[in-house]
Amino acid sequence: MKIKNFIIMSSIMSAFAIGLTGCGDFAVQENKGTAETEAVLYETTEKTEAPSEANEENATKVSLEKTEEKNTQDANLEEIKKQEERRKQLEAQEAENLRIQQEERARIEAAQKEAQAKAEAAAKEAAQKQQEEISRRNEEYKRKLEEYNAKVEAYNAKVSNYYHSDTPVELLNSVNLSPAHVIYGDDGALYALMYVYNGFGKPVYNIGANYIELYDVNGNLIARDENIGIGEGGALGAHSYATWTFVFSGDKLKIKDADLTKGLFYKSGTAYAS
């Protein structure tokens, strides 16, 4: 704007200079007019330049305000970014804390499950051992009971497996042997209580027999003994009897478990007496 005014003033002054070279009075007048013109131009310039400076000040002010506004906006944006960053950090921290809590909860639950599984396994094992011990005791009791029952049965069978006769067999003019009570003993030997009958009309002494044999009802030889002394030399009255026990063991016992309940047959060699 100042440059334009300067060009206009230069043109006017040039015109005035040309006029002065032709006429002096006119030149003075023209100079007077030039001074007035310059004053007018100066005033115009001042008046013209004043609004421009105001505009520049306003523009500067607006620019400053815009700059301040932009700075404020930038600061606000920066603060928003910081707040967003802090929010993200907080969310990330919360997510991490939640992850850690979940892992800890999962670890605790896994430990509880493992402890519960171990407790259940231990209880199951203890119950199984207890059941096994009960079964073992039951089996042991059953075995002992069976052994006892077997012994009882064997004992009952043994004590009930005997032969018994209340009547001696009488033979005249001889000394006769006949079984009274025959049974197996606890030592496995066969004990035979025999009637010794004197068929003579006088007492006899030093009684003996060449042999004695016992048979079951099926004719199986149960026991045999030979050269047997009876009564240790004592006397046996006429037509009377006494009892004498014979023990068959070792090779004298032929059958160790013969059935005596069905009866016995017996044989004896010539009984002798003096």
Side-chain angles (χ1 to χ4, degrees):
M1 190 69 178
K2 289 181 179 182
I3 294 173
K4 184 177 180 181
N5 293 334
F6 178 76
I7 293 172
I8 294 170
M9 289 177 67
S10 298
S11 298
I12 294 171
M13 289 177 69
S14 297
F16 284 157
I18 293 172
L20 287 174
T21 56
C23 181
D25 294 336
F26 181 79
V28 173
Q29 292 176 355
E30 287 295 322
N31 287 335
K32 181 180 179 181
T34 301
E36 292 175 356
T37 301
E38 288 178 355
V40 172
L41 288 174
Y42 177 77
E43 185 179 357
T44 303
T45 302
E46 288 296 324
K47 290 180 179 181
T48 304
E49 288 179 352
S52 299
E53 291 178 357
N55 291 335
E56 288 179 0
E57 289 179 358
N58 290 333
T60 301
K61 183 177 180 181
V62 170
S63 177
L64 290 174
E65 290 177 351
K66 289 182 178 181
T67 300
E68 291 178 356
E69 182 180 0
K70 185 176 183 302
N71 292 336
T72 302
Q73 291 177 352
D74 292 342
N76 292 336
L77 289 174
E78 185 66 23
E79 181 65 23
I80 291 172
K81 287 181 180 180
K82 290 181 180 179
Q83 291 179 358
E84 182 67 16
E85 185 66 23
R86 285 195 295 269
R87 185 185 64 79
K88 290 181 179 180
Q89 290 178 355
L90 290 174
E91 289 179 352
Q93 185 63 40
E94 290 177 356
E96 179 65 15
N97 293 338
L98 179 61
R99 183 189 65 82
I100 293 173
Q101 291 175 359
Q102 290 175 345
E103 289 181 354
E104 181 65 15
R105 187 181 298 110
R107 185 188 67 79
I108 294 173
E109 290 177 355
Q112 290 176 346
K113 288 181 180 179
E114 183 179 1
Q116 183 178 1
K118 288 182 179 180
E120 291 177 354
K124 184 177 180 181
E125 183 179 0
Q128 183 177 359
K129 288 183 178 181
Q130 184 178 11
Q131 185 60 41
E132 289 176 355
E133 179 63 17
I134 292 174
S135 298
R136 186 192 66 78
R137 291 181 180 180
N138 289 339
E139 289 295 326
E140 181 68 14
Y141 174 77
K142 182 180 178 181
R143 183 185 63 80
K144 290 182 178 180
L145 182 60
E146 289 176 350
E147 290 180 354
Y148 174 77
N149 290 336
K151 289 180 179 180
V152 170
E153 290 177 1
Y155 176 79
N156 291 336
K158 181 184 68 175
V159 297
S160 62
N161 182 29
Y162 62 91
Y163 173 82
H164 178 75
S165 175
D166 293 326
T167 304
V169 177
E170 300 178 5
L171 291 176
L172 293 176
N173 299 321
S174 69
V175 178
N176 187 52
L177 301 176
S178 62
H181 189 86
V182 181
I183 191 171
Y184 287 98
D186 292 337
D187 55 359
L190 183 65
Y191 291 81
L193 180 67
M194 304 290 289
Y195 292 115
V196 182
Y197 182 80
N198 178 15
F200 291 100
K202 60 179 181 178
V204 295
Y205 304 88
N206 299 320
I207 302 170
N210 295 332
Y211 68 91
I212 184 173
E213 294 176 345
L214 298 177
Y215 295 85
D216 63 14
V217 293
N218 296 319
N220 299 311
L221 179 62
I222 297 174
R224 175 184 170 87
D225 198 3
E226 300 176 352
N227 300 319
I228 306 165
I230 302 171
E232 296 180 349
L236 180 60
H239 303 290
S240 64
Y241 70 91
T243 57
W244 186 257
T245 300
F246 298 86
V247 180
F248 300 91
S249 61
D251 58 355
K252 298 177 183 179
L253 182 62
K254 308 305 179 181
I255 299 177
K256 297 180 180 180
D257 56 354
D259 185 1
L260 307 179
T261 61
K262 296 179 180 180
L264 286 175
F265 293 100
Y266 57 92
K267 291 181 181 180
S268 63
T270 302
Y272 55 88
S274 57

